[in-house]
Amino acid sequence: MIHIHAICHDDLADIAALHGGSWRSAYRGIYSDAFLDSDAVVQTRQALWTRRLISEPSLGSFGFIARDPSGEALGFTFAFPAFDAQWGSLLDNLHVRLDHKGRGIGRQLLLALSERCAGEWAELGLYLWVFEANTAARAVYEHLGARPAERMVITLQDGSEAAEWRYVWPSPGELLRALRREA
Ligand SMILES: CC(C)(COP(=O)(O)OP(=O)(O)OC[C@H]1O[C@@H](n2cnc3c(N)ncnc32)[C@H](O)[C@@H]1OP(=O)(O)O)[C@@H](O)C(=O)NCCC(=O)NCCS
């Protein structure tokens, strides 16, 4: 049984650890091994989540964390509502612990997030950025009805270059329907 909770400051350390761990596996071959194997990965994730949850929270930003009954953190997602005038709300993170992937946790997290967006920002689009090389995550988003809208090449914090794609749903309701298998 998985419990989904709204993210609060107390989740900071668990989220930073999950985020760093997920980068080390999912982004292998995208970031350099030197960067992924260094302490910088977890340190930069800790700094990011300290800003997001404590020192500089963005107005309206929110997320959900999945925990097992013992309280162990298994995955999280985060969003910035009404972030972009054209594309709508930004789904900025979705990570499930490597040893718990493929068990429906990502689906439950996206369900919580899209229900909230559909309740408060129903008319806006919903979008995310995913690395071109992250074919597994792209397949999940396509399975859930997102469409690739544009490609961009960016320079990563370790100096590597990588292509990423903007995936979009016209509204959070579209994602919700796919998650509820109504689409
Ligand atoms: C991408 C990720 C978040 C998905 O979470 P998950 O818990 O593994 O996914 P779920 O088990 O909830 O599956 C969600 C849906 O996608 C489908 N799916 C999963 N993997 C798939 C694949 N490779 N191809 C197509 N569909 C896939 C599942 O079947 C499920 O749909 P269904 O319920 O209709 O069968 C997770 O695998 C992950 O953390 N990956 C590493 C980090 C990452 O790349 N995050 C995305 C950054 S943009």
Side-chain angles (χ1 to χ4, degrees):
M1 180 73 179
I2 302 298
H3 300 280
I4 307 289
H5 306 277
I7 286 175
C8 69
H9 334 128
D10 294 346
D11 298 313
L12 197 159
D14 283 342
I15 291 174
L18 271 175
H19 202 182
S22 187
W23 274 34
R24 283 186 170 141
S25 57
Y27 296 167
R28 189 69 58 182
I30 299 176
Y31 285 86
S32 65
D33 285 349
F35 175 72
L36 290 178
D37 294 334
S38 73
D39 292 340
V41 177
V42 174
Q43 284 163 1
T44 57
R45 296 312 83 203
Q46 268 163 356
L48 174 79
W49 289 102
T50 301
R51 285 196 304 277
R52 283 186 175 182
L53 299 181
I54 295 177
S55 56
E56 301 164 27
S58 290
L59 190 65
S61 61
F62 69 94
F64 294 96
I65 185 165
R67 294 187 182 275
D68 73 9
S70 73
E72 197 162 343
L74 304 180
F76 72 96
T77 188
F78 204 74
F80 295 88
F83 192 76
D84 183 276
Q86 180 180 358
W87 302 100
S89 301
L90 170 63
L91 196 176
D92 196 32
N93 305 102
L94 176 66
H95 292 273
V96 171
R97 217 172 76 181
L98 181 60
D99 53 345
H100 284 74
K101 278 163 68 170
R103 294 178 49 207
I105 297 174
R107 173 179 277 279
Q108 288 188 62
L109 287 164
L110 285 176
L111 192 60
L113 185 138
S114 56
E115 277 174 346
R116 171 95 187 262
C117 286
E120 297 189 46
W121 304 280
E123 308 306 321
L124 302 180
L126 183 62
Y127 73 99
L128 56 85
W129 288 100
V130 55
F131 288 120
E132 185 167 80
N134 191 355
T135 50
R138 289 171 57 199
V140 171
Y141 300 136
E142 286 174 18
H143 176 70
L144 295 173
R147 76 172 173 86
E150 65 175 316
R151 180 180 190 268
M152 193 177 282
V153 175
I154 58 165
T155 303
L156 306 177
Q157 54 192 266
D158 67 348
S160 313
E161 289 215 326
E164 54 178 11
W165 282 88
R166 188 197 297 268
Y167 272 75
V168 303
W169 288 270
S171 71
E174 296 291 319
L175 173 57
L176 204 47
R177 274 188 284 282
L179 291 164
R180 290 175 174 162
R181 301 185 172 91
E182 295 166 357

